[in-house]
Amino acid sequence: MTDPTLDLTRQLIAINSTTPEDGGCQGIMIRRLEACGFTVERMRHGEVDNFWARRGKQGPVVCFAGHTDVVPTGPHDQWHSEPFTPTEKDGLLYGRGAADMKASLAGFITAIEAFVASHPDHHGSIALLITSDEEGPAVDGTVRVVETLAERGEAIDYCIVGEPTSSTVFGDTIKNGRRGSLSGKLTVYGVQGHIAYPHLAKNPVHLAAPALAELAAMHWDEGNAFFPPTTWQISNIHAGTGATNVIPGELTAQFNFRFGTASTADGLKERLSAVLDRHGLDYHIQWTLGGKPFLTEPGILSNALQAAIAAETGVAAELSTTGGTSDGRFIAAICPQVVEFGPINATIHKLNECVAVADVPKLAAIYRRTLETLLG
C-alpha cells in the first residue's frame, strides 16, 4: 500500500529546486490546493517564486509556511544515491530536501486535503505561505509576501512553519521562537609601514587585539526563561598584504551576535562600540541585522500542536528556541503565534539527507489533528 504523503514527498524530492529555484514544486502544490477550493496568488520577486493561498474569508486564519528551495547537494559521488532521486533504504527516504523541508510540504497538502474532505464548511480560514528563498538571501521570499499582506491589512492568527525541529526522536521538539542574528564587519585602521621601523607605522592588529579579547570574554546578558544568554563570535579576521615585512594598514573582522529578548540590537551595538572607543581605536562597522528574535509563549497553538504530537507519537514535545534563524522571524510581524514543527533534523544540509519513512505519514496526521483543534 502507498501513502499519499510519502508519494508527494517523493515527487517533490525528485525536483531539483536548489535555491532560489523552485523547479515546479509550487505548481504541484498549487494545483492540489485549487482543487480543494483555495484561492492562490503567485508572487514572484526577482528570481524567487512565492505564493499565498487561502481557503475561507473569516478568522481565525491558520497558516502553514515553508520553502520549496533546498541547499546545494555537494559532491554527488559522495551520496549513497542520486540526491534528486528519492531512494528508500533501511526505513529511510534519502534525497536532498527530504527533511528540509519537502516532507513537511507534502504533509501540509495531504493534511489539508483530508481536513477539507471531512470539514468542507470549516469555520475560519486555512492559508499557506510558500517561498523558494529561505535557504538563500531571504530578501525576495517570505518577507516580501508578509509585506504585501501587511499593506492590505491581512493578518494571520496561527502559523506553523514546517522546519525540521525534531532532535532525537520524531516529535520531541517544537520551536516557539528563535534568536535574533546581528552581524558586523569591523575595520580597524592603522598606518602601513616597514616591519623594521614600527615607530613609523601603526599596527591595527596590535591595537585591535586587546579590544577583541575583551569582547570575546564579555557577558552580554543572562538570557531568560525562553532564551539562552547572548553569544558573540568572530567568524573571519584578516590583515596584511601577504608579505612578512609589512605592517598592515587595516584589520577587518567579521562577527555575529545571536541574541534573545533579553537584549536589543541597538543595545548590543552601543555596548560593542563603547569597548572599541575605550581602547581608542580608529574604526568603522558595517552592521547587518539578519533578524530580530521572536517568541510565542505557550498558548492555544502550541497546546494544540503538543496534543496532536502526543496523540500520534506518544511523545511529549518540548518547546525550544535553540538553533538558527528561520522565516518565522518575518511572519511574526503579522502573526502573534508562530511555531515550527517538522521531522528529525540530524541530516539537514548534509550529504545523504534523509527522513524516516514511518515519520512522514505521522507528520501529516499531526498537522491534520492541529487543524481539527483550531478549525474543526
Side-chain angles (χ1 to χ4, degrees):
M1 293 180 64
T2 61
D3 175 82
T5 313
L6 276 168
D7 288 344
L8 181 53
T9 301
R10 295 187 193 99
Q11 188 178 2
L12 294 174
I13 291 172
I15 296 173
N16 183 342
S17 57
T18 303
T19 190
E21 294 298 323
D22 165 69
C25 294
Q26 292 182 22
I28 293 170
M29 298 175 70
I30 287 170
R31 286 190 291 274
R32 293 178 69 152
L33 290 169
E34 288 177 335
C36 288
F38 279 77
T39 299
V40 180
E41 298 176 68
R42 295 178 184 263
M43 300 182 185
R44 183 171 173 87
H45 296 283
E47 297 180 338
V48 175
D49 289 304
N50 311 290
F51 76 81
W52 168 251
R54 180 165 174 170
R55 186 183 198 273
K57 298 184 180 299
Q58 306 299 320
V61 179
V62 179
C63 177
F64 293 100
H67 59 91
T68 53
D69 60 321
V70 299
V71 296
T73 63
H76 281 216
D77 60 1
Q78 294 184 30
W79 281 70
H80 298 156
S81 55
E82 280 296 311
F84 295 111
T85 300
T87 304
E88 290 184 29
K89 181 181 179 181
D90 299 327
L92 299 174
L93 175 60
Y94 289 89
R96 175 56 85 221
D100 189 14
M101 55 183 297
K102 291 184 174 179
S104 295
L105 297 176
F108 292 166
I109 297 299
T110 59
I112 289 168
E113 288 172 336
F115 176 78
V116 169
S118 299
H119 304 275
D121 299 318
H122 63 82
H123 78 282
S125 299
I126 309 171
L128 282 92
L129 195 169
I130 306 296
T131 183
S132 69
D133 185 34
E134 197 273 347
E135 300 291 8
V139 296
D140 284 324
T142 298
V143 63
R144 297 291 295 271
V145 179
V146 167
E147 288 170 353
T148 299
L149 297 176
E151 286 170 1
R152 63 195 195 198
E154 194 166 354
I156 299 168
D157 295 286
Y158 309 109
C159 182
I160 299 174
V161 185
E163 289 293 338
T165 59
S166 299
S167 179
T168 304
V169 297
F170 175 58
D172 62 2
T173 306
I174 297 169
K175 301 289 187 182
N176 66 318
R178 294 278 189 164
R179 293 177 295 175
S181 176
L182 175 64
S183 298
K185 181 179 180 181
L186 167 68
T187 303
V188 178
Y189 302 103
V191 176
Q192 183 174 314
H194 196 294
I195 206 161
Y197 301 96
H199 59 291
L200 300 178
K202 194 174 180 181
N203 194 323
V205 178
H206 295 185
L207 295 172
L212 295 178
E214 181 176 338
L215 290 168
M218 278 187 69
H219 188 75
W220 298 93
D221 58 44
E222 299 289 341
N224 54 35
F226 297 101
F227 290 98
T230 291
T231 62
W232 182 81
Q233 292 289 317
I234 295 174
S235 57
N236 289 279
I237 192 165
H238 176 77
T241 64
T244 60
N245 61 349
V246 178
I247 293 171
E250 292 184 0
L251 173 145
T252 59
Q254 293 174 293
F255 59 85
N256 178 266
F257 285 103
R258 290 300 166 106
F259 64 103
T261 51
S263 291
T264 65
D266 287 342
L268 294 171
K269 290 179 183 180
E270 291 172 4
R271 291 178 63 191
L272 185 140
S273 296
V275 171
L276 302 179
D277 292 340
R278 189 169 65 253
H279 284 267
L281 299 181
D282 180 12
Y283 70 92
H284 172 75
I285 303 176
Q286 178 182 332
W287 293 100
T288 302
L289 180 60
K292 297 179 181 179
F294 75 91
L295 175 69
T296 297
E297 296 203 25
I300 294 173
L301 178 56
S302 60
N303 291 343
L305 189 53
Q306 285 176 313
I309 293 167
E312 291 295 331
T313 68
V315 175
E318 295 185 355
L319 301 180
S320 170
T321 61
T322 58
T325 59
S326 77
D327 277 1
R329 69 191 189 274
F330 303 127
I331 299 168
I334 60 169
C335 180
Q337 296 192 45
V338 180
V339 300
E340 304 169 22
F341 177 71
I344 292 175
N345 56 26
T347 63
I348 62 173
H349 293 207
K350 294 183 178 181
L351 300 171
N352 301 308
E353 179 181 351
C354 61
V355 64
V357 171
D359 292 344
V360 175
K362 293 177 185 177
L363 180 60
I366 288 166
Y367 293 149
R368 181 185 56 76
R369 280 184 180 270
T370 304
L371 278 175
E372 293 276 357
T373 300
L374 298 175
L375 299 181

